[in-house]
Amino acid sequence: MNYTFDFQSVSYGPLLDGLIVTLQLTAAANLIGIILGFPLALMIMSRIADIRVPAMLFVEFFRCTPAIVQIVWFFYCVPMLFNVFLGSMTMGILALGLNLMAFNAEAYRAAIQGVPREQLDAGIALGLNPLQRTLYIVLPTAIRASIPVLLTNGIGSFQQSALVAIVAVQDLMYEAKTLATETYRPIETFTIVALVYFAVSFPVAQIVGFLERRRQLVTG
């Protein structure tokens, strides 16, 4: 192998700009997924079929189809079918956010099912109505129990955000592809990009592991 590595030839400015866009995508998608995932979980657990079935179909669609297909579908099909024209960044956020919303809903659902019956009975004894019991008892308990899974899903959305490069969102991967083409240094460029993704994901993964071990000690 006669290849000579030259990391100094890689311009870090565009990669930094792309990283900022990637973090913005991830933050917006997680905001959608965390906030809307909980009511979606409640809909899945509803006794009313007209509410439960569409919610279950929504979750299964996003869980059982590739994220790249979802991103492409939003970018190309939504404007054609609904005459709605949004920027590629907005489309990317919607696709990633709805995908994350489906996965978070399952995390919330498992956490809701784990809420002790005694807490709900105490809420009834205090005279709380169903909405109040949901807000003051179920929601806080479910969020605490599902934090490790939510963080893990957040890491996944950060990594999956690289897929929006195919619809011309100028994220980290898009800038890396452009830079690699211009400099003819794909090895150096994508090695740096891989290290950036690792540097962001690894600390969060360690936090998830810590929370899991702490939870096992508390419940054990």
Side-chain angles (χ1 to χ4, degrees):
M1 180 178 176
N2 296 323
Y3 188 84
T4 302
F5 291 94
D6 183 12
F7 286 92
Q8 294 182 351
S9 65
V10 179
S11 176
Y12 293 91
L15 295 182
L16 179 59
D17 293 338
L19 176 60
I20 293 173
V21 173
T22 294
L23 293 175
Q24 290 173 340
L25 276 168
T26 304
N30 274 272
L31 192 63
I32 294 173
I34 291 173
I35 294 176
L36 299 183
F38 185 77
L40 180 60
L42 295 178
M43 292 172 66
I44 294 172
M45 300 177 68
S46 173
R47 297 180 181 179
I48 304 174
D50 290 342
I51 296 176
R52 183 180 67 255
V53 173
M56 292 177 62
L57 291 175
F58 176 90
V59 169
E60 292 305 320
F61 171 79
F62 280 96
R63 292 181 64 198
C64 298
T65 57
I68 190 170
V69 174
Q70 298 164 18
I71 291 170
V72 172
W73 192 91
F74 268 87
F75 188 79
Y76 291 106
C77 299
V78 168
M80 296 174 63
L81 294 175
F82 304 105
N83 199 33
V84 175
F85 298 91
L86 302 173
S88 56
M89 181 77 169
T90 303
M91 289 294 190
I93 290 173
L94 284 175
L96 292 173
L98 294 178
N99 176 281
L100 190 58
M101 176 180 164
F103 283 89
N104 283 353
E106 285 298 295
Y108 282 128
R109 183 174 66 86
I112 292 170
Q113 292 174 338
V115 175
R117 181 64 195 178
E118 293 79 6
Q119 294 185 13
L120 297 176
D121 291 340
I124 295 174
L126 291 172
L128 300 180
N129 60 44
L131 178 60
Q132 290 173 324
R133 293 198 298 271
T134 299
L135 292 177
Y136 300 136
I137 298 176
V138 177
L139 178 59
T141 305
I143 289 179
R144 286 195 299 268
S146 57
I147 283 177
V149 181
L150 296 179
L151 288 174
T152 300
N153 291 345
I155 295 174
S157 70
F158 170 68
Q159 296 167 349
Q160 284 188 336
S161 67
L163 298 174
V164 300
I166 65 172
V167 292
V169 176
Q170 296 178 340
D171 70 325
L172 180 58
M173 182 57 67
Y174 180 92
E175 295 292 352
K177 289 167 57 180
T178 302
L179 193 61
T181 302
E182 293 175 350
T183 61
Y184 300 100
R185 290 288 174 178
I187 296 178
E188 291 89 338
T189 302
F190 290 114
T191 298
I192 292 171
V193 168
L195 291 174
V196 170
Y197 278 108
F198 177 81
V200 175
S201 300
F202 182 74
V204 181
Q206 296 305 300
I207 294 173
V208 171
F210 169 77
L211 293 175
E212 286 286 3
R213 290 191 296 270
R214 183 178 178 182
R215 182 181 177 187
Q216 290 174 359
L217 289 174
V218 172
T219 57

